[in-house]
Amino acid sequence: MMSRLPLLLLAVALYTVVEAGIFDSMYCGRHNCYEIMGLERTATKKEINKQYRKLAKELHPDHNKADDAHEKFELLVSAYETLRNEVSRNDYDYLLDNPDVYYEHFYRFFSHSTPKVDVGPVISISLIVLTVLHYLHRHSSYNRAINYALHVPNLRNQAKQLAASEGLLDKKFFKGMTKDEAKVKENKILRDIIEEKLDIKGGYQKPEWTDILLVQLLVLPFQLRKIKLVPHKTDLQIQNYGSCVRLGGERL
């Protein structure tokens, strides 16, 4: 379950992005900026400016009384703002050529523009990504500690003794294996023993779902409420304490 946790959290982040409509606010949303302006992808900057001035006169709500004039004019402005700038146009062309790289598009877009979306989903996505990175870091540290312990003679011998006492190293389990295959299986058995039954010290613990960043942040307010504040001492108490110290010093 824990090994699938990063993928699960990333799936939640992606779902949050889609549901929040963040991608719809990027560039021209679900529309094609070039099609909105009636241009080919090879259009020059001069052609883009000329076409914008032409369409702006036709679609501006002050001149066009159609019900969807305002919406079409906003799309035109979004398309023009995307294509007139060389950086944003390159980013948009990259999106058209690589539509499945969601988070790269997310980064490229918001690194060059001010997001016009609710800050809540953005914070949620950031927390999920940080949680994944936090979990992967802890899991990596734990694996390195176990792999190191597997090659410490004292711990390896302890694990061998426990494995032998449980019959896990009987020759029948290694029958028909090559020397390398038997070594791999033995290391797997000893690794499991070290994980489950030996204390490798050093503060390394197998990451649990309760240790992930999001859970820790959720329980933090409840943990803070359990902290008992030490009452401030009154001036009289401090003076009495000082007197006791002085008297004690005289007796010494």
Side-chain angles (χ1 to χ4, degrees):
M1 172 62 184
M2 289 301 296
S3 61
R4 298 177 183 175
L5 185 59
L7 292 177
L8 178 62
L9 289 172
L10 285 174
V12 172
L14 179 58
Y15 176 80
T16 302
V17 169
V18 174
E19 287 299 305
I22 291 179
F23 284 128
D24 288 346
S25 69
M26 294 168 53
Y27 306 113
C28 301
R30 300 179 186 274
H31 302 275
N32 185 299
C33 293
Y34 289 101
E35 292 178 358
I36 290 172
M37 296 195 68
L39 296 170
E40 298 291 334
R41 287 183 61 174
T42 55
T44 63
K45 189 172 183 179
K46 184 177 180 180
E47 291 173 334
I48 292 172
N49 290 333
K50 181 179 179 180
Q51 185 71 349
Y52 172 71
R53 288 192 295 269
K54 175 186 174 183
L55 293 176
K57 293 178 181 179
E58 296 177 5
L59 297 176
H60 197 285
D62 290 345
H63 307 291
N64 192 322
K65 302 304 180 181
D67 294 337
D68 60 349
H70 183 75
E71 179 182 350
K72 287 183 176 180
F73 183 75
E74 286 189 341
L75 282 174
L76 175 65
V77 172
S78 297
Y80 177 66
E81 291 296 326
T82 298
L83 300 180
R84 77 184 182 92
N85 181 280
E86 184 176 351
V87 174
S88 62
R89 183 178 181 180
N90 288 337
D91 288 345
Y92 182 66
D93 286 343
Y94 182 77
L95 182 149
L96 294 178
D97 295 331
N98 305 273
D100 298 327
V101 193
Y102 301 110
Y103 287 100
E104 187 173 350
H105 300 318
F106 179 80
Y107 169 77
R108 291 167 72 101
F109 177 77
F110 287 114
S111 64
H112 298 137
S113 62
T114 304
K116 300 178 181 179
V117 296
D118 292 337
V119 70
V122 177
I123 293 176
S124 299
I125 295 165
S126 300
L127 283 175
I128 291 173
V129 172
L130 287 174
T131 296
V132 172
L133 294 177
H134 176 251
Y135 168 80
L136 292 176
H137 172 71
R138 291 202 55 176
H139 200 273
S140 175
S141 298
Y142 174 75
N143 282 330
R144 286 199 302 270
I146 295 297
N147 290 333
Y148 174 77
L150 190 60
H151 295 88
V152 175
N154 183 37
L155 292 173
R156 188 178 181 87
N157 289 335
Q158 290 183 50
K160 272 190 173 182
Q161 291 173 7
L162 287 171
S165 67
E166 296 179 10
L168 298 176
L169 298 179
D170 290 350
K171 292 183 179 179
K172 62 182 180 181
F173 295 124
F174 300 89
K175 188 176 181 180
M177 292 185 179
T178 64
K179 186 177 181 180
D180 290 337
E181 290 173 342
K183 186 68 174 177
V184 170
K185 182 168 183 178
E186 179 183 298
N187 283 337
K188 174 67 169 61
I189 292 171
L190 297 181
R191 179 187 171 91
D192 291 342
I193 292 290
I194 291 174
E195 282 192 75
E196 297 171 7
K197 300 188 176 180
L198 295 184
D199 183 4
I200 63 174
K201 307 297 184 183
Y204 294 102
Q205 295 181 347
K206 189 173 184 178
E208 302 290 344
W209 70 270
T210 53
D211 298 324
I212 64 176
L213 182 61
L214 276 179
V215 174
Q216 292 294 313
L217 290 175
L218 289 174
V219 301
L220 180 61
F222 301 98
Q223 292 176 337
L224 292 176
R225 290 180 61 183
K226 293 180 181 179
I227 298 177
K228 295 182 178 180
L229 298 177
V230 179
H232 294 289
K233 295 181 180 296
T234 63
D235 292 340
L236 181 59
Q237 287 175 314
I238 294 174
Q239 291 172 3
N240 290 338
Y241 175 75
S243 300
C244 291
V245 171
R246 287 196 295 274
L247 288 173
E250 291 173 358
R251 285 197 294 273
L252 292 174

